[in-house]
Amino acid sequence: MQTEIPDYQKGSGCAVKTLLKGGTVVSGSKTAAADVLMKDGKILAVEQEIDEADAKIIDVSGRLLFPGFIDAHTHFDLHVAGTVTADDFQSGTKAAIAGGTTMIIDFATQYQGESLHEALNNWHKKADGNASCDYGFHLAISDWNHSVSEELDTIISEGVTSFKLYMTYDEMYMADKKIYQILKRLKEAGGIAGVHCENKGIIEALVEEEKAKGNYSVHAHKMSRPAAVEAEAAGRLLKIAQVADCPVIIVHLSSEAGYKEILYARERGQEVYVETCPQYLIFNEDVYDLPGFEGSKYVISPTIKKESDRQRLWELLKTDQIQTVSTDHCSFTLSQKAAGRDDFTKIPNGMPGVEARPALMYSFGVKKNGLTVEQMCRFLSENPAKLYGVYPQKGVIAPGSDADIVVWNPETRWTMSVGNQVAHVDYCPFEGISVEGKAELVFLKGRLAAENGKVLVEKTGSYVARNRHMELAQWN
Ligand SMILES: [Zn+2]
């Protein structure tokens, strides 16, 4: 591509009109040849042919134009498992924008004894001024009580409209009674919860069994979290949601057994939104039997499941039974992972992905598994925008929307590697994987922020206050 990137675009201002000419604009419902005119951070016009004498023109012929991708599941600068994630907001959002993600939604986390506002303020301190893409926050609730319940209305009015509940992990565990109470209160206040579904008791018992047998390696991580662990918790959550009469989001779905519970709930008439992640679509449980300590790179929860689960997740995407694909980016360096070399339960759980997701989904989804580009747009951009209350400000290339645009080159072939990633972590879980397609130019509110995996402009991301979720019936 012989595009001349005008100097003004690389600086801080973007008041000059920019015209993206000759590309194919992708939405969740169609693709169409169209020119896109933007100014002052917004999209001014999307038309088949725009001639604007005073605009700077960028030739994007042969390229797909996606609305900036949204990753609704990241953990940056998170203190967990006695350490802190390798990526903070500075490196994490740079990795995001490098790959074509113009907005992330991170999990502000309430620790025991804190108010929700304390948690939210803590996350603003981590993020504000450091972000190279736009960002919002979910709030992970760990300490539910009367005063926290009272805070919900103001928290929601401040643009935090989604919440996270965990059914496992000692520090975050929420019992059934409280889950019910929270869901009911969220319904009244206009919020929605995303839930980590795993049965805490079964995991604890299986971990004890593995250790009693002398199994302390990565392989035991897989053995301690079979699909039924996810399915049991998902089924229980969905029945709690049924009694609370409340929609709910199941995050990072990893198994067919888990999906069956969702199907039953949908057949009962419940509104259930489902997220999965690239790692569950690309790998199977064999990663836990890699030689040496290699498998620690993939120690995440829920675990990566069987080959049949992986294939089923693709089918569920193809038929739009799953609504979003986000990453659960929660990165740790190899030396951090090494804390669990002699005991798998001490390996910090999580892996990077925020940078790789768009290219993985184009390459494995569109090119290899029969997803349409419109579906890719839905799963990575339009649906998260609707579910998390930022549509049509984000999630669509249309007049009035933020000029967050990814100029996608479908022809670029490249190989993922730690050597060419921006994320601040010393391994790439997708090392050596050849992919097709790349974010060639990434515009954040009209400003060229990244080009071919390199970040050009840092720290121009801003906080996005979100509205309540758009109900599924209004999505089309
Ligand atoms: Zn997570």
Side-chain angles (χ1 to χ4, degrees):
M1 189 182 196
Q2 291 298 314
T3 304
E4 280 283 303
I5 304 305
D7 282 343
Y8 77 93
Q9 271 287 356
K10 290 179 173 166
S12 58
C14 52
V16 181
K17 280 184 195 164
T18 305
L19 179 59
L20 303 178
K21 209 153 176 51
T24 300
V25 172
V26 183
S27 79
S29 52
K30 64 173 189 198
T31 56
D35 297 344
V36 179
L37 184 66
M38 50 193 179
K39 193 192 177 198
D40 292 332
K42 295 284 180 187
I43 294 166
L44 293 184
V46 183
E47 286 161 31
Q48 206 169 23
E49 189 81 46
I50 300 176
D51 287 305
E52 195 81 6
D54 58 341
K56 302 281 181 182
I57 295 171
I58 300 178
D59 174 14
V60 293
S61 49
R63 310 299 189 263
L64 298 170
L65 305 189
F66 285 99
F69 300 121
I70 299 168
D71 189 338
H73 196 148
T74 68
H75 301 276
F76 297 150
D77 204 356
L78 179 68
H79 290 252
V80 67
T83 186
V84 57
T85 53
D87 282 299
D88 58 12
F89 277 85
Q90 208 168 312
S91 67
T93 57
K94 275 178 71 177
I97 199 99
T101 293
T102 52
M103 181 177 179
I104 57 103
I105 311 178
D106 200 83
F107 291 88
T109 299
Q110 176 211 22
Y111 297 110
Q112 295 293 320
E114 283 182 346
S115 69
L116 297 183
H117 278 96
E118 282 174 289
L120 189 55
N121 290 340
N122 287 341
W123 255 258
H124 272 297
K125 277 185 212 148
K126 292 169 192 269
D128 295 352
N130 289 322
S132 295
C133 69
D134 281 357
Y135 59 97
F137 300 118
H138 314 280
L139 236 162
I141 301 174
S142 71
D143 195 353
W144 178 249
N145 55 51
H146 183 70
S147 68
V148 167
S149 173
E150 301 252 285
E151 279 188 276
L152 276 179
D153 299 296
T154 49
I155 286 284
I156 287 171
S157 71
E158 288 162 28
V160 176
T161 54
S162 50
F163 298 80
K164 173 89 173 280
L165 304 175
Y166 291 83
M167 298 174 84
T168 187
Y169 297 130
D170 285 336
E171 325 80 65
M172 299 301 297
Y173 172 74
M174 200 57 73
D176 295 348
K177 178 181 175 185
K178 289 188 176 180
I179 292 175
Y180 170 82
Q181 291 171 332
I182 293 169
L183 293 184
K184 214 161 171 194
R185 178 73 181 94
L186 284 179
K187 186 188 178 189
E188 179 187 273
I192 191 166
V195 185
H196 178 129
C197 297
E198 286 191 298
N199 179 302
K200 185 171 185 284
I202 301 175
I203 295 168
E204 286 172 0
L206 292 177
V207 165
E208 282 175 22
E209 283 183 22
E210 289 301 315
K211 288 188 169 180
K213 286 186 277 186
N215 298 337
Y216 283 77
S217 73
V218 171
H219 175 82
H221 179 65
K222 163 176 99 176
M223 301 307 286
S224 69
R225 292 174 128 101
V229 163
E230 177 174 71
E232 188 285 328
R236 182 158 37 98
L237 167 76
L238 291 166
K239 291 200 175 71
I240 296 170
Q242 180 185 23
V243 181
D245 189 23
C246 178
V248 73
I249 305 162
I250 298 210
V251 295
H252 49 48
L253 180 77
S254 67
S255 67
E256 165 158 40
Y259 176 70
K260 280 187 179 154
E261 300 297 329
I262 293 159
L263 182 62
Y264 298 147
R266 285 178 173 163
E267 285 172 353
R268 295 193 292 267
Q270 288 180 246
E271 191 170 321
V272 189
Y273 302 88
V274 183
E275 169 200 274
T276 191
C277 312
Q279 52 270 34
Y280 303 118
L281 294 160
I282 290 167
F283 302 117
N284 65 33
E285 62 180 1
D286 293 348
V287 291
Y288 299 117
D289 294 307
L290 287 169
F293 197 53
E294 275 291 289
S296 68
K297 295 174 177 174
Y298 307 92
V299 168
I300 56 173
S301 293
T303 50
I304 294 166
K305 300 294 192 302
K306 296 183 185 303
E307 177 60 18
S308 55
D309 292 295
R310 188 185 78 80
Q311 290 181 15
R312 183 75 176 121
L313 290 172
W314 279 118
E315 283 168 31
L316 295 172
L317 279 175
K318 267 190 265 187
T319 51
D320 287 271
Q321 305 301 307
I322 292 174
Q323 281 67 48
T324 69
V325 178
S326 289
T327 65
D328 203 1
H329 182 107
C330 186
S331 61
F332 298 99
T333 63
L334 294 174
S335 63
Q336 288 177 299
K337 289 276 186 183
R341 192 170 275 282
D342 301 318
D343 178 352
F344 71 97
T345 60
K346 295 196 166 59
I347 301 171
N349 277 220
M351 62 185 270
V354 72
E355 191 171 346
R357 177 188 64 142
L360 289 171
M361 291 307 295
Y362 186 79
S363 200
F364 286 87
V366 174
K367 301 302 277 189
K368 294 200 176 90
N369 275 288
L371 295 191
T372 64
V373 288
E374 292 87 351
Q375 283 180 310
M376 174 164 159
C377 180
R378 290 205 285 277
F379 302 142
L380 271 60
S381 188
E382 185 177 306
N383 289 357
K386 289 175 173 174
L387 179 55
Y388 294 108
V390 294
Y391 188 87
Q393 181 190 347
K394 311 275 191 194
V396 61
I397 297 176
S401 296
D402 286 355
D404 299 345
I405 296 173
V406 179
V407 177
W408 190 261
N409 188 338
E411 306 295 332
T412 307
R413 288 165 189 268
W414 58 292
T415 302
M416 293 194 171
S417 176
V418 64
N420 57 25
Q421 75 183 11
V422 171
H424 189 242
V425 56
D426 57 356
Y427 76 94
C428 172
F430 314 103
E431 187 70 38
I433 292 181
S434 295
V435 288
E436 283 178 71
K438 189 159 190 165
E440 192 165 63
L441 304 174
V442 185
F443 292 89
L444 176 64
K445 288 171 291 189
R447 182 179 299 133
L448 182 65
E451 182 175 8
N452 272 320
K454 301 277 177 285
V455 180
L456 303 178
V457 179
E458 291 181 36
K459 299 186 180 178
T460 56
S462 44
Y463 175 68
V464 180
R466 297 180 293 113
N467 299 313
R468 61 168 300 168
H469 84 279
M470 189 186 281
E471 281 166 33
L472 198 52
Q474 301 167 336
W475 277 25
N476 292 315

